[in-house]
Amino acid sequence: MDLSVVIVNYNVQYFLEQCILSVQTASENLKIEIIVVDNNSTDASCKLLYEKYPEIILIQNKENVGFSKANNQGVKIAKGDYVLILNPDTVVAEDTFVQILAFAKSKPNLGILGVKLIDGSGNFLPESKRGIPTPLVSFSKLFGISSKQTGKYYATHLNENETGIVAVLVGAFMLLKRSVFNEVNGFDEAYFMYGEDIDLSYKILNRGYQNYYYSNTQVIHYKGESTQKDIKNLIYFHKAMKIFYKKHFKLNRVYDFIMNFGIQFWFLLKFFNFLRPKNNLKSSLNVLYLGEDELINNYLNKKYLLVNENLIDDFDQIRNLIKKYLIDTIVFDNSIISNKKIIEHFQEFKNEGVSFKIHPRNTNFLIGSINSLNLGQVELIENN
């Protein structure tokens, strides 16, 4: 078995299906198993897997055991030489697995491998590559102090399109040898949610391995879909930060006081930001549909239909259409456009003031997200 993909799911049925479909298309010519650990979802996630994807290995928990423990459950039954910890709100390109496995095998001292993540509007997610959040680094970042320490937080020694060694990778996409995961006893289950990826990265570094950021493949991470933004999850983040510093950087009472103050201050900022009204995807007025499904075409009440593959690849022509006809939404049909091309379009048109939606192949819904701070939107398409 080349690779075991472990996905922890909680009430994100539609994002999970889109993720699974992308994983399947990236698995051709590879021996891959998909393991989904469901944390007692109340939606139809498990029913979906049983009915449409019976080949997927499902662990169905009777309670929400958290991200760390659920991933450990999945890796425990995994058979792959490598394991990929993958969020359900991600979309991988068709060649992502071939690329990352080839790179991983070229690094004999590999710890964790992460990739370039973009959000639902095509913007780079800086947490794709990070440094160790030491108290000084985090304090500088938190209070906006301009210093070398600030750059260390997001590993700015590498730009977003540069592959190289980093300290910390994000839990949305982590590739590593199963033997290395087991060597450090996997995720620390003291972390219910958040912080566990920093802790795992740090443990692996301390064993003498090297962690890498790989920029040659890009993955969509809608971010926040699998961990809905509510007060409970802010408390989990608050607790995770305390666990990490107590575990790795407990130095003296004065230092502890300063860091505890910083964590509390950060929590208050996040709390008040949470209370602010959030924007979401607006109703589409002028839609550019890149596809040929009449049902979707009628549902969208589209203005323009592009089905010619040459036109789909013509960025200049698409940009002209956006400007000429005031296009506010581009809908990509994955039935005729690959995930890799969709990701390219996201990045190409991220500054054109348009929203992106995807119709995953063989489904009856559209998925979109305006940015990484807001929950995405799922639109069900039904026959009229």
Side-chain angles (χ1 to χ4, degrees), residues 51-71:
E51 293 181 354
K52 290 187 67 174
Y53 307 97
E55 71 280 7
I56 289 176
I57 301 168
L58 173 63
I59 298 175
Q60 196 169 353
N61 288 325
K62 300 302 181 183
E63 61 179 331
N64 187 349
V65 299
F67 185 83
S68 296
K69 185 172 182 178
N71 272 303

Side-chain angles (χ1 to χ4, degrees), residues 245-263:
Y245 285 116
K246 183 176 181 180
K247 180 177 178 180
H248 297 293
F249 294 103
K250 188 174 179 62
L251 302 177
N252 56 55
R253 290 183 179 180
V254 175
Y255 218 64
D256 283 349
F257 173 80
I258 293 173
M259 284 313 303
N260 188 60
F261 171 78
I263 291 171

Side-chain angles (χ1 to χ4, degrees), residues 13-14 299 364-367 377-383:
Q13 164 190 349
Y14 299 105
Y299 167 79
N364 67 334
F365 58 87
L366 304 178
I367 282 184
Q377 177 178 310
V378 175
E379 298 179 49
L380 296 181
I381 303 168
E382 299 178 355
N383 287 302

